[in-house]
Amino acid sequence: MDLLKELADNVIKGQAPKTEELTQKLLDDKVSPADILNKGLVAGMDVVGTKFKNNEFYVPEVLIAARAMKAGMKLLRPKLAESGVEPVGKFVVGTVKGDLHDIGKNLVAMMMEGAGFEVIDLGVDVTPENFVNTAKERKASVIGMSALLTTTMLNMKATIEELKKQGLNDTIKVVIGGAPVTQNYADEIGADGYAPDAASAVAEVKRLMKI
């Protein structure tokens, strides 16, 4: 079997030690870091995302696959930097102010990294100013916000207002999600996109960035 295909398969199966071993072998064989990323790790996570969307995989399988991908990325990241491979985009993600739930947000961060994005994860209880200032400083294209409590959803609107205040709402897109969040609410507060789950978030961000 082709080693890149084998690498992708091991990501799908969530075999972290094997993923790390194969990544090292491919690097030793002088396979380009971009190919290892795109034809191995990202290809594997693409399948995981599709299976998750089709209810063939659930959260535990996605977490295990993401852990395998991270094992490969640990070896690959310095090589990608050396060879000048740019991420497909920069994505700032966090759970909004007042909300400490992070499982959904962590899944989105993992899926985005698995799709080749540089992910800047601000964690939980993130203020509108922190979202906007980080996105501006790191030159991110998209902000992703998550909320599980209806009372904290208002802070999604506050972040969009902060973007407008700083005149950045045309250059930085906003995607929102979380259990109580709907497409209607996204439309109401002027978010650029809505994602009902982590796999949809990747597709939605790519759509907004026209990738």
Side-chain angles (χ1 to χ4, degrees), residues 12-162:
I12 297 162
K13 290 175 192 159
Q15 304 286 349
K18 189 69 179 162
T19 298
E20 192 170 350
E21 184 189 312
L22 284 165
T23 303
Q24 188 59 59
K25 183 160 179 24
L26 285 158
L27 287 169
D28 293 344
D29 290 351
K30 302 286 183 278
V31 175
S32 85
D35 278 352
I36 300 171
L37 177 69
N38 295 316
K39 296 178 184 174
L41 301 176
V42 171
M45 282 304 286
D46 275 349
V47 174
V48 172
T50 304
K51 284 181 177 292
F52 183 57
K53 213 168 182 167
N54 296 338
N55 293 323
E56 292 169 47
F57 268 18
Y58 297 98
V59 171
E61 288 95 335
V62 176
L63 291 171
I64 292 165
R67 193 170 62 200
M69 179 208 68
K70 280 182 183 293
M73 280 302 291
K74 190 174 64 185
L75 297 173
L76 199 55
R77 202 174 273 116
K79 304 293 180 192
L80 288 167
E82 279 169 31
S83 58
V85 175
E86 292 289 325
V88 289
K90 291 185 184 178
F91 176 70
V92 171
V93 67
T95 304
V96 294
K97 183 169 167 51
D99 206 321
L100 303 177
H101 296 89
D102 67 354
I103 293 175
K105 182 269 298 171
N106 291 347
L107 267 180
V108 169
M110 287 168 180
M111 297 295 268
M112 292 296 293
E113 191 174 6
F117 284 82
E118 181 184 328
V119 176
I120 302 135
D121 187 346
L122 297 178
V124 298
D125 195 23
V126 184
T127 63
E129 294 75 18
N130 194 0
F131 272 121
V132 175
N133 293 338
T134 303
K136 183 167 72 175
E137 283 159 21
R138 299 292 289 272
K139 297 185 169 55
S141 317
V142 183
I143 291 172
M145 289 186 280
S146 169
L148 193 67
L149 306 172
T150 48
T151 49
T152 61
M153 284 165 58
L154 291 170
N155 289 315
M156 292 177 160
K157 186 177 186 207
T159 303
I160 291 169
E161 283 166 358
E162 180 64 26

